[in-house]
PDB file of all heavy atoms in Angstrom:
ATOM      1  N   GLY K 146      10.965   8.082 -19.434  1.00 98.00           N
ATOM      2  CA  GLY K 146      11.821   7.237 -18.549  1.00 98.00           C
ATOM      3  C   GLY K 146      13.045   6.561 -19.207  1.00 98.00           C
ATOM      4  O   GLY K 146      12.978   5.951 -20.185  1.00 98.00           O
ATOM      5  N   LEU K 147      14.188   6.845 -18.506  1.00 98.00           N
ATOM      6  CA  LEU K 147      15.474   6.176 -18.870  1.00 98.00           C
ATOM      7  C   LEU K 147      15.984   5.289 -17.746  1.00 98.00           C
ATOM      8  O   LEU K 147      15.762   5.717 -16.546  1.00 98.00           O
ATOM      9  CB  LEU K 147      16.505   7.291 -19.151  1.00 98.00           C
ATOM     10  CG  LEU K 147      16.443   8.008 -20.509  1.00 98.00           C
ATOM     11  CD1 LEU K 147      17.037   9.423 -20.416  1.00 98.00           C
ATOM     12  CD2 LEU K 147      17.244   7.136 -21.516  1.00 98.00           C
ATOM     13  N   GLY K 148      16.756   4.371 -18.035  1.00 98.00           N
ATOM     14  CA  GLY K 148      17.432   3.497 -17.045  1.00 98.00           C
ATOM     15  C   GLY K 148      18.275   2.506 -17.648  1.00 98.00           C
ATOM     16  O   GLY K 148      18.461   2.296 -18.894  1.00 98.00           O
ATOM     17  N   TRP K 149      19.146   1.897 -16.834  1.00 98.00           N
ATOM     18  CA  TRP K 149      20.055   0.878 -17.359  1.00 98.00           C
ATOM     19  C   TRP K 149      20.049  -0.337 -16.429  1.00 98.00           C
ATOM     20  O   TRP K 149      19.766  -0.282 -15.227  1.00 98.00           O
ATOM     21  CB  TRP K 149      21.588   1.492 -17.226  1.00 98.00           C
ATOM     22  CG  TRP K 149      21.796   2.518 -18.317  1.00 98.00           C
ATOM     23  CD1 TRP K 149      22.486   2.198 -19.500  1.00 98.00           C
ATOM     24  CD2 TRP K 149      21.447   3.839 -18.337  1.00 98.00           C
ATOM     25  NE1 TRP K 149      22.454   3.400 -20.302  1.00 98.00           N
ATOM     26  CE2 TRP K 149      21.882   4.364 -19.579  1.00 98.00           C
ATOM     27  CE3 TRP K 149      20.830   4.696 -17.388  1.00 98.00           C
ATOM     28  CZ2 TRP K 149      21.724   5.691 -19.985  1.00 98.00           C
ATOM     29  CZ3 TRP K 149      20.583   6.062 -17.848  1.00 98.00           C
ATOM     30  CH2 TRP K 149      21.035   6.574 -19.039  1.00 98.00           C
ATOM     31  N   SER K 150      20.311  -1.428 -17.083  1.00 98.00           N
ATOM     32  CA  SER K 150      20.359  -2.721 -16.353  1.00 98.00           C
ATOM     33  C   SER K 150      21.598  -2.703 -15.414  1.00 98.00           C
ATOM     34  O   SER K 150      22.502  -1.997 -15.513  1.00 98.00           O
ATOM     35  CB  SER K 150      20.450  -3.898 -17.319  1.00 98.00           C
ATOM     36  OG  SER K 150      21.729  -3.789 -18.097  1.00 98.00           O
ATOM     37  N   PRO K 151      21.524  -3.509 -14.322  1.00 98.00           N
ATOM     38  CA  PRO K 151      22.615  -3.588 -13.319  1.00 98.00           C
ATOM     39  C   PRO K 151      23.969  -3.895 -13.918  1.00 98.00           C
ATOM     40  O   PRO K 151      24.956  -3.331 -13.406  1.00 98.00           O
ATOM     41  CB  PRO K 151      22.097  -4.561 -12.327  1.00 98.00           C
ATOM     42  CG  PRO K 151      20.655  -4.515 -12.389  1.00 98.00           C
ATOM     43  CD  PRO K 151      20.375  -4.334 -13.809  1.00 98.00           C
ATOM     44  N   ASP K 152      23.983  -4.678 -15.025  1.00 98.00           N
ATOM     45  CA  ASP K 152      25.208  -5.002 -15.711  1.00 98.00           C
ATOM     46  C   ASP K 152      25.698  -4.002 -16.670  1.00 98.00           C
ATOM     47  O   ASP K 152      26.701  -4.134 -17.328  1.00 98.00           O
ATOM     48  CB  ASP K 152      25.209  -6.361 -16.276  1.00 98.00           C
ATOM     49  CG  ASP K 152      24.180  -6.590 -17.443  1.00 98.00           C
ATOM     50  OD1 ASP K 152      23.552  -5.574 -17.843  1.00 98.00           O
ATOM     51  OD2 ASP K 152      23.996  -7.684 -17.884  1.00 98.00           O
ATOM     52  N   ALA K 153      24.880  -2.913 -16.885  1.00 98.00           N
ATOM     53  CA  ALA K 153      25.170  -1.785 -17.818  1.00 98.00           C
ATOM     54  C   ALA K 153      25.233  -2.266 -19.291  1.00 98.00           C
ATOM     55  O   ALA K 153      25.857  -1.584 -20.082  1.00 98.00           O
ATOM     56  CB  ALA K 153      26.501  -1.159 -17.401  1.00 98.00           C
ATOM     57  N   ARG K 154      24.641  -3.349 -19.574  1.00 98.00           N
ATOM     58  CA  ARG K 154      24.557  -3.795 -21.002  1.00 98.00           C
ATOM     59  C   ARG K 154      23.304  -3.431 -21.716  1.00 98.00           C
ATOM     60  O   ARG K 154      23.284  -3.543 -22.919  1.00 98.00           O
ATOM     61  CB  ARG K 154      24.820  -5.270 -20.984  1.00 98.00           C
ATOM     62  CG  ARG K 154      26.164  -5.707 -20.444  1.00 98.00           C
ATOM     63  CD  ARG K 154      26.368  -7.174 -20.461  1.00 98.00           C
ATOM     64  NE  ARG K 154      26.422  -7.745 -21.736  1.00 98.00           N
ATOM     65  CZ  ARG K 154      26.509  -9.096 -22.102  1.00 98.00           C
ATOM     66  NH1 ARG K 154      26.636  -9.976 -20.962  1.00 98.00           N
ATOM     67  NH2 ARG K 154      26.530  -9.457 -23.355  1.00 98.00           N
ATOM     68  N   THR K 155      22.224  -2.971 -21.007  1.00 98.00           N
ATOM     69  CA  THR K 155      20.956  -2.692 -21.647  1.00 98.00           C
ATOM     70  C   THR K 155      20.556  -1.335 -21.073  1.00 98.00           C
ATOM     71  O   THR K 155      20.629  -0.969 -19.948  1.00 98.00           O
ATOM     72  CB  THR K 155      19.927  -3.682 -21.270  1.00 98.00           C
ATOM     73  OG1 THR K 155      20.410  -4.986 -21.639  1.00 98.00           O
ATOM     74  CG2 THR K 155      18.591  -3.305 -21.917  1.00 98.00           C
ATOM     75  N   MET K 156      20.103  -0.429 -22.049  1.00 99.00           N
ATOM     76  CA  MET K 156      19.497   0.789 -21.737  1.00 99.00           C
ATOM     77  C   MET K 156      18.015   0.755 -22.171  1.00 99.00           C
ATOM     78  O   MET K 156      17.674   0.207 -23.083  1.00 99.00           O
ATOM     79  CB  MET K 156      20.148   1.979 -22.515  1.00 99.00           C
ATOM     80  CG  MET K 156      19.638   3.342 -22.092  1.00 99.00           C
ATOM     81  SD  MET K 156      20.400   4.736 -23.124  1.00 99.00           S
ATOM     82  CE  MET K 156      19.250   4.648 -24.454  1.00 99.00           C
ATOM     83  N   TYR K 157      17.225   1.372 -21.295  1.00 99.00           N
ATOM     84  CA  TYR K 157      15.750   1.480 -21.480  1.00 99.00           C
ATOM     85  C   TYR K 157      15.403   2.984 -21.700  1.00 99.00           C
ATOM     86  O   TYR K 157      16.038   3.888 -21.039  1.00 99.00           O
ATOM     87  CB  TYR K 157      14.994   1.100 -20.184  1.00 99.00           C
ATOM     88  CG  TYR K 157      15.347  -0.405 -19.907  1.00 99.00           C
ATOM     89  CD1 TYR K 157      16.181  -0.738 -18.922  1.00 99.00           C
ATOM     90  CD2 TYR K 157      14.735  -1.447 -20.671  1.00 99.00           C
ATOM     91  CE1 TYR K 157      16.531  -2.074 -18.584  1.00 99.00           C
ATOM     92  CE2 TYR K 157      15.033  -2.736 -20.341  1.00 99.00           C
ATOM     93  CZ  TYR K 157      15.934  -3.100 -19.300  1.00 99.00           C
ATOM     94  OH  TYR K 157      16.226  -4.356 -19.034  1.00 99.00           O
ATOM     95  N   PHE K 158      14.579   3.214 -22.607  1.00 99.00           N
ATOM     96  CA  PHE K 158      14.131   4.604 -23.000  1.00 99.00           C
ATOM     97  C   PHE K 158      12.706   4.537 -23.333  1.00 99.00           C
ATOM     98  O   PHE K 158      12.191   3.623 -24.224  1.00 99.00           O
ATOM     99  CB  PHE K 158      15.052   5.075 -24.153  1.00 99.00           C
ATOM    100  CG  PHE K 158      14.457   6.381 -24.759  1.00 99.00           C
ATOM    101  CD1 PHE K 158      14.457   7.617 -23.971  1.00 99.00           C
ATOM    102  CD2 PHE K 158      14.009   6.473 -26.061  1.00 99.00           C
ATOM    103  CE1 PHE K 158      14.064   8.780 -24.444  1.00 99.00           C
ATOM    104  CE2 PHE K 158      13.655   7.627 -26.537  1.00 99.00           C
ATOM    105  CZ  PHE K 158      13.587   8.805 -25.779  1.00 99.00           C
ATOM    106  N   THR K 159      11.946   5.458 -22.900  1.00 98.00           N
ATOM    107  CA  THR K 159      10.484   5.515 -23.105  1.00 98.00           C
ATOM    108  C   THR K 159      10.038   6.617 -24.096  1.00 98.00           C
ATOM    109  O   THR K 159      10.564   7.762 -23.912  1.00 98.00           O
ATOM    110  CB  THR K 159       9.763   5.723 -21.745  1.00 98.00           C
ATOM    111  OG1 THR K 159      10.112   4.735 -20.850  1.00 98.00           O
ATOM    112  CG2 THR K 159       8.243   5.787 -21.955  1.00 98.00           C
ATOM    113  N   ASP K 160       9.267   6.307 -25.021  1.00 98.00           N
ATOM    114  CA  ASP K 160       8.590   7.361 -25.912  1.00 98.00           C
ATOM    115  C   ASP K 160       7.131   7.235 -25.508  1.00 98.00           C
ATOM    116  O   ASP K 160       6.497   6.398 -25.978  1.00 98.00           O
ATOM    117  CB  ASP K 160       8.862   7.202 -27.361  1.00 98.00           C
ATOM    118  CG  ASP K 160       8.522   8.419 -28.207  1.00 98.00           C
ATOM    119  OD1 ASP K 160       7.642   9.103 -27.739  1.00 98.00           O
ATOM    120  OD2 ASP K 160       9.099   8.558 -29.248  1.00 98.00           O
TER     121      ASP K 160
END
Side-chain angles (χ1 to χ4, degrees):
L147 278 155
W149 285 264
S150 61
D152 64 6
R154 297 178 63 181
T155 303
M156 187 184 87
Y157 302 100
F158 171 64
T159 303
D160 193 333

